[in-house]
Amino acid sequence: MEEVLGQKRQHKKLSKAKIIQRVILITIGALFMATGLEIFLIPNQVIDGGVTGVSIMLSHITGAKLGIFLFLLNLPFVYLGYKQFGKTFAISTIYGIIMLSIFATYFHPIPPFTEDILLATLFGGILLGVGVGLVIRNGGALDGTEILSIVISKKVPFSVGEIVMFINLFILGSAGFVYTWDRAMYSILAYVVAAKAIDIVITGMEESKSVWIISEEANEIGDAINNRLGRGVTYLHGEGAYTGDNKKVIFCIITRLEESKLTTIVEGIDPSAFLAIADISEVRGGRFKKKNIH
């Protein structure tokens, strides 16, 4: 009985640790985004897409603080997020937006690090993307555009990505009327840089891939992957739907940099082997850590 209670207490402690970790990372994400906006992009009249871009333009037109618009304009989307993804997502998003608004207000009087428009666009986009990626990876959001796009996609024949792109092109194009057209083009560049930074943070620098191999030489290929690539493999048993033959299927996880070497290994042993490689966003548990190869 004491052992069971001890396990429950340990689980509760780990849960609290996870919550604290999430709070810290969302705070850091909001800090990065606010820095990218207020220290690099906004002083050089470059905007971001989504609700953030609308907030920047409204702040410029009215003279009111950016943090006020960031908080108020995102509130309706937090409610949509609560309906779509649940309470945890809504709480994480509200906290992230509050921290973003506070940091943006605090950083506003600070002079920009650089007045070089290209440097400001690149570094501002990187910081913004890293910040947004950290928040998304920890179960929240800092902009309501994606939430709105998910809702709209259920009613129109367009994907979420296509809707986000359309909304952002419209918003970024509007920067030409509020500022100048060269600033609108720099804003599009900042958006592209931020989008790539978000992908890197969410998927990781190494971009893990899942691999499925079907071959008559499955054992030899599996041993080669294990010994020459340092990756563990799992053997699965399958059956051909047309022939009814039993098939041995190899499953393993590799990184993007290992894809070429794995393809060479498979082709060297069985050129006719079936090989399927797919991108995956996250790997947890198991024995994914690469072993040393001597």
Side-chain angles (χ1 to χ4, degrees):
M1 184 67 178
E2 290 180 359
E3 184 179 353
V4 173
L5 292 174
Q7 290 176 348
K8 289 183 177 180
R9 282 195 294 267
Q10 185 180 15
H11 177 72
K12 188 175 182 180
K13 183 178 180 180
L14 290 173
S15 179
K16 286 183 178 179
K18 185 68 176 178
I19 292 173
I20 293 172
Q21 179 188 30
R22 176 173 290 188
V23 169
I24 291 173
L25 290 174
I26 290 177
T27 303
I28 293 173
L31 175 64
F32 278 13
M33 183 172 179
T35 303
L37 289 174
E38 290 287 3
I39 306 299
F40 289 95
L41 298 181
I42 295 175
N44 290 284
Q45 297 184 337
V46 178
I47 72 168
D48 182 34
V51 175
T52 304
V54 175
S55 300
I56 293 171
M57 288 187 285
L58 288 175
S59 176
H60 176 76
I61 294 170
T62 64
K65 293 182 178 180
L66 173 63
I68 296 174
F69 290 109
L70 288 172
F71 180 75
L72 293 178
L73 294 183
N74 273 300
L75 282 180
F77 301 108
V78 173
Y79 177 75
L80 282 177
Y82 170 73
K83 290 293 186 180
Q84 292 291 322
F85 307 112
K87 184 169 66 174
T88 301
F89 173 84
I91 293 173
S92 299
T93 300
I94 289 175
Y95 175 75
I97 292 171
I98 290 174
M99 296 308 299
L100 173 62
S101 302
I102 292 173
F103 286 136
T105 302
Y106 180 76
F107 290 158
H108 185 70
I110 300 176
F113 281 7
T114 178
E115 295 182 358
D116 185 305
I117 183 66
L118 183 57
L119 287 176
T121 300
L122 293 176
F123 281 90
I126 291 171
L127 285 170
L128 192 150
V130 171
V132 172
L134 280 173
V135 175
I136 292 175
R137 186 155 187 164
N138 287 277
L142 290 176
D143 191 283
T145 308
E146 287 79 8
I147 302 171
L148 177 63
S149 299
I150 291 171
V151 175
I152 295 176
S153 68
K154 295 180 178 180
K155 300 180 180 180
V156 297
F158 298 103
S159 68
V160 175
E162 290 170 338
I163 296 170
V164 169
M165 183 178 295
F166 175 79
I167 294 173
N168 283 332
L169 286 177
F170 176 77
I171 293 171
L172 294 170
S174 302
F177 296 98
V178 178
Y179 300 112
T180 58
W181 289 108
D182 67 326
R183 290 304 191 266
M185 289 186 282
Y186 277 115
S187 297
I188 293 174
L189 177 59
Y191 170 71
V192 172
V193 172
K196 184 58 180 176
I198 291 171
D199 289 341
I200 291 174
V201 172
I202 293 176
T203 62
M205 291 295 291
E206 293 187 316
E207 297 183 5
S208 299
K209 294 175 177 284
S210 62
V211 180
W212 300 83
I213 306 167
I214 302 176
S215 170
E216 298 296 333
E217 309 296 333
N219 289 333
E220 187 177 350
I221 293 174
D223 290 341
I225 293 172
N226 197 296
N227 295 325
R228 293 166 58 186
L229 206 60
R231 293 295 182 189
V233 300
T234 299
Y235 293 118
L236 305 173
H237 295 284
E239 180 180 337
Y242 180 73
T243 63
D245 295 339
N246 291 325
K247 301 288 184 180
K248 202 170 200 178
V249 183
I250 301 171
F251 174 77
C252 67
I253 302 294
I254 61 172
T255 66
R256 175 177 56 83
L257 300 177
E258 295 167 336
E259 181 178 348
S260 177
K261 187 173 181 179
L262 178 133
T263 302
T264 301
I265 291 173
V266 174
E267 290 180 348
I269 297 174
D270 183 5
S272 63
F274 172 83
L275 174 63
I277 302 176
D279 295 328
I280 53 177
S281 60
E282 189 171 1
V283 179
R284 294 188 181 185
R287 297 181 179 179
F288 177 62
K289 186 175 180 181
K290 187 171 183 177
K291 72 175 184 179
N292 295 325
I293 304 175
H294 300 288

